[in-house]
mmCIF file of all heavy atoms in Angstrom:
data_model
loop_
_atom_site.group_PDB
_atom_site.id
_atom_site.type_symbol
_atom_site.label_atom_id
_atom_site.label_comp_id
_atom_site.label_asym_id
_atom_site.label_seq_id
_atom_site.Cartn_x
_atom_site.Cartn_y
_atom_site.Cartn_z
ATOM 1 N N THR A 1 -6.449 -15.049 -12.771
ATOM 2 C CA THR A 1 -7.345 -15.860 -13.356
ATOM 3 C C THR A 1 -7.998 -16.863 -12.364
ATOM 4 O O THR A 1 -7.358 -17.527 -11.580
ATOM 5 C CB THR A 1 -6.691 -16.790 -14.439
ATOM 6 O OG1 THR A 1 -6.047 -15.907 -15.349
ATOM 7 C CG2 THR A 1 -7.734 -17.591 -15.179
ATOM 8 N N ILE A 2 -9.368 -16.854 -12.235
ATOM 9 C CA ILE A 2 -10.043 -17.796 -11.421
ATOM 10 C C ILE A 2 -10.593 -18.916 -12.236
ATOM 11 O O ILE A 2 -11.053 -18.881 -13.344
ATOM 12 C CB ILE A 2 -11.267 -17.078 -10.737
ATOM 13 C CG1 ILE A 2 -11.902 -17.953 -9.762
ATOM 14 C CG2 ILE A 2 -12.338 -16.581 -11.755
ATOM 15 C CD1 ILE A 2 -12.991 -17.287 -8.825
ATOM 16 N N THR A 3 -10.433 -20.168 -11.678
ATOM 17 C CA THR A 3 -10.829 -21.401 -12.335
ATOM 18 C C THR A 3 -11.567 -22.331 -11.389
ATOM 19 O O THR A 3 -11.256 -22.182 -10.159
ATOM 20 C CB THR A 3 -9.713 -22.156 -13.054
ATOM 21 O OG1 THR A 3 -8.612 -22.380 -12.016
ATOM 22 C CG2 THR A 3 -9.118 -21.313 -14.186
ATOM 23 N N ARG A 4 -12.328 -23.137 -11.862
ATOM 24 C CA ARG A 4 -13.029 -24.109 -11.034
ATOM 25 C C ARG A 4 -12.834 -25.546 -11.608
ATOM 26 O O ARG A 4 -12.943 -25.778 -12.858
ATOM 27 C CB ARG A 4 -14.528 -23.832 -11.073
ATOM 28 C CG ARG A 4 -15.374 -24.669 -10.212
ATOM 29 C CD ARG A 4 -16.856 -24.271 -10.423
ATOM 30 N NE ARG A 4 -17.342 -24.415 -11.767
ATOM 31 C CZ ARG A 4 -18.215 -23.611 -12.290
ATOM 32 N NH1 ARG A 4 -18.826 -22.714 -11.585
ATOM 33 N NH2 ARG A 4 -18.704 -23.752 -13.536
ATOM 34 N N ASP A 5 -12.589 -26.411 -10.675
ATOM 35 C CA ASP A 5 -12.401 -27.852 -11.066
ATOM 36 C C ASP A 5 -13.539 -28.687 -10.396
ATOM 37 O O ASP A 5 -13.365 -29.005 -9.122
ATOM 38 C CB ASP A 5 -11.002 -28.388 -10.514
ATOM 39 C CG ASP A 5 -10.724 -29.835 -11.041
ATOM 40 O OD1 ASP A 5 -11.661 -30.603 -11.238
ATOM 41 O OD2 ASP A 5 -9.545 -30.161 -11.216
ATOM 42 N N SER A 6 -14.556 -28.918 -10.999
ATOM 43 C CA SER A 6 -15.680 -29.612 -10.394
ATOM 44 C C SER A 6 -15.371 -31.077 -9.935
ATOM 45 O O SER A 6 -15.954 -31.568 -9.076
ATOM 46 C CB SER A 6 -16.896 -29.616 -11.429
ATOM 47 O OG SER A 6 -17.161 -28.275 -11.842
ATOM 48 N N ALA A 7 -14.490 -31.698 -10.610
ATOM 49 C CA ALA A 7 -14.094 -33.046 -10.278
ATOM 50 C C ALA A 7 -13.482 -33.155 -8.900
ATOM 51 O O ALA A 7 -13.596 -34.113 -8.141
ATOM 52 C CB ALA A 7 -13.158 -33.707 -11.321
ATOM 53 N N LYS A 8 -12.686 -32.077 -8.630
ATOM 54 C CA LYS A 8 -11.955 -32.004 -7.366
ATOM 55 C C LYS A 8 -12.574 -31.075 -6.297
ATOM 56 O O LYS A 8 -12.122 -30.904 -5.116
ATOM 57 C CB LYS A 8 -10.535 -31.552 -7.566
ATOM 58 C CG LYS A 8 -9.657 -32.419 -8.443
ATOM 59 C CD LYS A 8 -8.366 -31.971 -8.625
ATOM 60 C CE LYS A 8 -7.580 -32.927 -9.561
ATOM 61 N NZ LYS A 8 -6.062 -32.452 -9.694
ATOM 62 N N ASN A 9 -13.670 -30.542 -6.647
ATOM 63 C CA ASN A 9 -14.360 -29.497 -5.776
ATOM 64 C C ASN A 9 -13.376 -28.442 -5.274
ATOM 65 O O ASN A 9 -13.348 -28.113 -4.109
ATOM 66 C CB ASN A 9 -14.948 -30.144 -4.563
ATOM 67 C CG ASN A 9 -16.443 -30.598 -4.918
ATOM 68 O OD1 ASN A 9 -16.838 -30.737 -6.042
ATOM 69 N ND2 ASN A 9 -17.201 -30.760 -3.839
ATOM 70 N N THR A 10 -12.614 -27.904 -6.208
ATOM 71 C CA THR A 10 -11.627 -26.786 -5.867
ATOM 72 C C THR A 10 -11.856 -25.602 -6.817
ATOM 73 O O THR A 10 -12.285 -25.708 -7.905
ATOM 74 C CB THR A 10 -10.209 -27.270 -5.995
ATOM 75 O OG1 THR A 10 -9.999 -27.692 -7.300
ATOM 76 C CG2 THR A 10 -9.923 -28.457 -4.962
ATOM 77 N N VAL A 11 -11.600 -24.535 -6.316
ATOM 78 C CA VAL A 11 -11.546 -23.267 -7.053
ATOM 79 C C VAL A 11 -10.169 -22.639 -6.858
ATOM 80 O O VAL A 11 -9.737 -22.490 -5.622
ATOM 81 C CB VAL A 11 -12.744 -22.239 -6.660
ATOM 82 C CG1 VAL A 11 -12.683 -21.931 -5.157
ATOM 83 C CG2 VAL A 11 -12.682 -20.977 -7.525
ATOM 84 N N SER A 12 -9.585 -22.134 -7.818
ATOM 85 C CA SER A 12 -8.237 -21.717 -7.812
ATOM 86 C C SER A 12 -8.145 -20.236 -8.349
ATOM 87 O O SER A 12 -9.028 -19.738 -9.078
ATOM 88 C CB SER A 12 -7.223 -22.457 -8.585
ATOM 89 O OG SER A 12 -7.213 -23.868 -8.176
ATOM 90 N N LEU A 13 -7.096 -19.467 -7.812
ATOM 91 C CA LEU A 13 -6.755 -18.207 -8.267
ATOM 92 C C LEU A 13 -5.322 -18.041 -8.610
ATOM 93 O O LEU A 13 -4.457 -18.217 -7.781
ATOM 94 C CB LEU A 13 -7.159 -17.124 -7.171
ATOM 95 C CG LEU A 13 -7.061 -15.708 -7.576
ATOM 96 C CD1 LEU A 13 -8.161 -15.344 -8.618
ATOM 97 C CD2 LEU A 13 -7.065 -14.762 -6.387
ATOM 98 N N GLN A 14 -5.093 -18.040 -9.938
ATOM 99 C CA GLN A 14 -3.761 -17.885 -10.396
ATOM 100 C C GLN A 14 -3.394 -16.340 -10.404
ATOM 101 O O GLN A 14 -4.154 -15.601 -11.085
ATOM 102 C CB GLN A 14 -3.576 -18.436 -11.782
ATOM 103 C CG GLN A 14 -2.242 -18.273 -12.423
ATOM 104 C CD GLN A 14 -1.100 -19.035 -11.658
ATOM 105 O OE1 GLN A 14 -1.401 -20.183 -11.326
ATOM 106 N NE2 GLN A 14 0.021 -18.530 -11.541
ATOM 107 N N MET A 15 -2.416 -16.004 -9.763
ATOM 108 C CA MET A 15 -2.070 -14.581 -9.635
ATOM 109 C C MET A 15 -0.664 -14.291 -10.194
ATOM 110 O O MET A 15 0.345 -14.960 -9.801
ATOM 111 C CB MET A 15 -2.019 -14.197 -8.155
ATOM 112 C CG MET A 15 -3.346 -14.462 -7.433
ATOM 113 S SD MET A 15 -3.450 -13.867 -5.789
ATOM 114 C CE MET A 15 -2.108 -14.855 -4.942
ATOM 115 N N ASN A 16 -0.683 -13.566 -11.317
ATOM 116 C CA ASN A 16 0.653 -13.257 -12.053
ATOM 117 C C ASN A 16 0.950 -11.702 -11.823
ATOM 118 O O ASN A 16 0.078 -10.944 -11.526
ATOM 119 C CB ASN A 16 0.537 -13.656 -13.394
ATOM 120 C CG ASN A 16 0.342 -15.184 -13.633
ATOM 121 O OD1 ASN A 16 0.758 -15.917 -12.847
ATOM 122 N ND2 ASN A 16 -0.434 -15.527 -14.733
ATOM 123 N N SER A 17 2.157 -11.433 -12.205
ATOM 124 C CA SER A 17 2.626 -10.026 -12.114
ATOM 125 C C SER A 17 2.170 -9.337 -10.750
ATOM 126 O O SER A 17 1.615 -8.240 -10.816
ATOM 127 C CB SER A 17 2.036 -9.256 -13.334
ATOM 128 O OG SER A 17 2.400 -9.852 -14.530
ATOM 129 N N LEU A 18 2.412 -10.032 -9.746
ATOM 130 C CA LEU A 18 2.006 -9.559 -8.363
ATOM 131 C C LEU A 18 2.575 -8.170 -8.057
ATOM 132 O O LEU A 18 3.807 -7.927 -8.327
ATOM 133 C CB LEU A 18 2.161 -10.465 -7.310
ATOM 134 C CG LEU A 18 1.156 -11.731 -7.338
ATOM 135 C CD1 LEU A 18 1.700 -12.856 -6.653
ATOM 136 C CD2 LEU A 18 -0.123 -11.254 -6.734
ATOM 137 N N LYS A 19 1.891 -7.381 -7.276
ATOM 138 C CA LYS A 19 2.316 -6.008 -6.965
ATOM 139 C C LYS A 19 2.248 -5.877 -5.423
ATOM 140 O O LYS A 19 1.428 -6.670 -4.818
ATOM 141 C CB LYS A 19 1.455 -4.937 -7.571
ATOM 142 C CG LYS A 19 1.401 -4.976 -9.053
ATOM 143 C CD LYS A 19 0.295 -3.999 -9.577
ATOM 144 C CE LYS A 19 0.223 -4.032 -11.079
ATOM 145 N NZ LYS A 19 -0.771 -3.034 -11.598
ATOM 146 N N PRO A 20 2.942 -5.028 -4.873
ATOM 147 C CA PRO A 20 2.889 -4.857 -3.365
ATOM 148 C C PRO A 20 1.450 -4.574 -2.907
ATOM 149 O O PRO A 20 1.074 -5.017 -1.790
ATOM 150 C CB PRO A 20 3.856 -3.619 -3.110
ATOM 151 C CG PRO A 20 4.873 -3.739 -4.229
ATOM 152 C CD PRO A 20 4.115 -4.269 -5.400
ATOM 153 N N GLU A 21 0.700 -3.886 -3.712
ATOM 154 C CA GLU A 21 -0.660 -3.572 -3.311
ATOM 155 C C GLU A 21 -1.567 -4.773 -3.368
ATOM 156 O O GLU A 21 -2.747 -4.624 -2.979
ATOM 157 C CB GLU A 21 -1.224 -2.436 -4.223
ATOM 158 C CG GLU A 21 -1.069 -2.619 -5.702
ATOM 159 C CD GLU A 21 0.135 -1.952 -6.229
ATOM 160 O OE1 GLU A 21 1.192 -1.979 -5.657
ATOM 161 O OE2 GLU A 21 -0.021 -1.394 -7.261
ATOM 162 N N ASP A 22 -1.144 -5.933 -3.895
ATOM 163 C CA ASP A 22 -1.922 -7.146 -3.685
ATOM 164 C C ASP A 22 -1.816 -7.918 -2.485
ATOM 165 O O ASP A 22 -2.465 -8.793 -2.204
ATOM 166 C CB ASP A 22 -1.502 -8.023 -4.872
ATOM 167 C CG ASP A 22 -1.765 -7.520 -6.223
ATOM 168 O OD1 ASP A 22 -2.803 -7.101 -6.521
ATOM 169 O OD2 ASP A 22 -0.816 -7.734 -7.157
ATOM 170 N N THR A 23 -0.903 -7.254 -1.587
ATOM 171 C CA THR A 23 -0.727 -7.884 -0.256
ATOM 172 C C THR A 23 -2.064 -7.704 0.536
ATOM 173 O O THR A 23 -2.639 -6.787 0.666
ATOM 174 C CB THR A 23 0.367 -7.150 0.442
ATOM 175 O OG1 THR A 23 1.683 -7.284 -0.232
ATOM 176 C CG2 THR A 23 0.515 -7.660 1.935
ATOM 177 N N ALA A 24 -2.511 -8.914 1.028
ATOM 178 C CA ALA A 24 -3.754 -9.026 1.705
ATOM 179 C C ALA A 24 -3.929 -10.413 2.222
ATOM 180 O O ALA A 24 -3.273 -11.266 1.861
ATOM 181 C CB ALA A 24 -4.892 -8.573 0.891
ATOM 182 N N VAL A 25 -4.955 -10.577 3.032
ATOM 183 C CA VAL A 25 -5.557 -11.961 3.310
ATOM 184 C C VAL A 25 -6.568 -12.275 2.296
ATOM 185 O O VAL A 25 -7.433 -11.470 2.042
ATOM 186 C CB VAL A 25 -6.085 -12.060 4.749
ATOM 187 C CG1 VAL A 25 -6.634 -13.465 5.020
ATOM 188 C CG2 VAL A 25 -4.980 -11.728 5.771
ATOM 189 N N TYR A 26 -6.372 -13.386 1.643
ATOM 190 C CA TYR A 26 -7.310 -13.830 0.499
ATOM 191 C C TYR A 26 -8.248 -14.844 1.097
ATOM 192 O O TYR A 26 -7.801 -15.834 1.667
ATOM 193 C CB TYR A 26 -6.469 -14.287 -0.590
ATOM 194 C CG TYR A 26 -5.930 -13.218 -1.531
ATOM 195 C CD1 TYR A 26 -4.765 -12.557 -0.906
ATOM 196 C CD2 TYR A 26 -6.417 -12.836 -2.675
ATOM 197 C CE1 TYR A 26 -4.169 -11.469 -1.615
ATOM 198 C CE2 TYR A 26 -5.814 -11.820 -3.519
ATOM 199 C CZ TYR A 26 -4.755 -11.213 -2.908
ATOM 200 O OH TYR A 26 -4.222 -10.154 -3.670
ATOM 201 N N TYR A 27 -9.614 -14.623 0.863
ATOM 202 C CA TYR A 27 -10.669 -15.543 1.322
ATOM 203 C C TYR A 27 -11.368 -16.158 0.183
ATOM 204 O O TYR A 27 -11.764 -15.516 -0.812
ATOM 205 C CB TYR A 27 -11.578 -14.776 2.140
ATOM 206 C CG TYR A 27 -11.010 -14.121 3.420
ATOM 207 C CD1 TYR A 27 -10.481 -12.844 3.501
ATOM 208 C CD2 TYR A 27 -10.939 -14.805 4.579
ATOM 209 C CE1 TYR A 27 -9.998 -12.255 4.531
ATOM 210 C CE2 TYR A 27 -10.505 -14.306 5.818
ATOM 211 C CZ TYR A 27 -9.975 -13.033 5.739
ATOM 212 O OH TYR A 27 -9.406 -12.411 6.915
ATOM 213 N N CYS A 28 -11.684 -17.351 0.296
ATOM 214 C CA CYS A 28 -12.541 -18.141 -0.522
ATOM 215 C C CYS A 28 -14.015 -17.908 -0.023
ATOM 216 O O CYS A 28 -14.271 -17.868 1.095
ATOM 217 C CB CYS A 28 -12.125 -19.594 -0.539
ATOM 218 S SG CYS A 28 -13.197 -20.701 -1.631
ATOM 219 N N HIS A 29 -14.902 -17.779 -1.022
ATOM 220 C CA HIS A 29 -16.294 -17.486 -0.639
ATOM 221 C C HIS A 29 -17.236 -18.381 -1.614
ATOM 222 O O HIS A 29 -16.947 -18.476 -2.781
ATOM 223 C CB HIS A 29 -16.686 -16.069 -0.809
ATOM 224 C CG HIS A 29 -17.957 -15.733 -0.337
ATOM 225 N ND1 HIS A 29 -19.133 -15.552 -1.216
ATOM 226 C CD2 HIS A 29 -18.531 -15.464 0.844
ATOM 227 C CE1 HIS A 29 -20.160 -15.229 -0.524
ATOM 228 N NE2 HIS A 29 -19.828 -15.235 0.727
ATOM 229 N N TYR A 30 -18.166 -18.860 -0.997
ATOM 230 C CA TYR A 30 -19.269 -19.642 -1.749
ATOM 231 C C TYR A 30 -20.635 -19.120 -1.341
ATOM 232 O O TYR A 30 -20.887 -18.881 -0.209
ATOM 233 C CB TYR A 30 -19.187 -21.243 -1.414
ATOM 234 C CG TYR A 30 -20.323 -22.022 -2.008
ATOM 235 C CD1 TYR A 30 -20.283 -22.297 -3.384
ATOM 236 C CD2 TYR A 30 -21.431 -22.370 -1.274
ATOM 237 C CE1 TYR A 30 -21.270 -23.076 -3.880
ATOM 238 C CE2 TYR A 30 -22.430 -23.082 -1.802
ATOM 239 C CZ TYR A 30 -22.453 -23.409 -3.151
ATOM 240 O OH TYR A 30 -23.517 -24.189 -3.634
ATOM 241 N N LYS A 31 -21.517 -18.918 -2.476
ATOM 242 C CA LYS A 31 -22.854 -18.356 -2.056
ATOM 243 C C LYS A 31 -23.864 -19.088 -2.882
ATOM 244 O O LYS A 31 -23.778 -19.238 -4.155
ATOM 245 C CB LYS A 31 -22.945 -16.945 -2.287
ATOM 246 C CG LYS A 31 -24.225 -16.324 -1.904
ATOM 247 C CD LYS A 31 -24.210 -14.768 -2.030
ATOM 248 C CE LYS A 31 -25.640 -14.335 -1.527
ATOM 249 N NZ LYS A 31 -25.688 -12.801 -1.589
#
């Protein structure tokens, strides 16, 4: 689940039920 908190200028990614194939470097991006 991706969420945005405009008051704190943060974007979060809640990751549940993680699998080995989720292994990676995760990058935040703004466009």
Side-chain angles (χ1 to χ4, degrees):
T1 303
I2 186 170
T3 55
R4 179 180 63 209
D5 186 334
S6 300
K8 296 181 180 179
N9 269 23
T10 59
V11 58
S12 298
L13 185 69
Q14 177 66 41
M15 306 186 294
N16 299 327
S17 302
L18 283 160
K19 305 175 181 180
E21 51 264 43
D22 294 318
T23 296
V25 178
Y26 283 70
Y27 297 91
C28 179
H29 185 261
Y30 171 82
K31 183 173 182 179

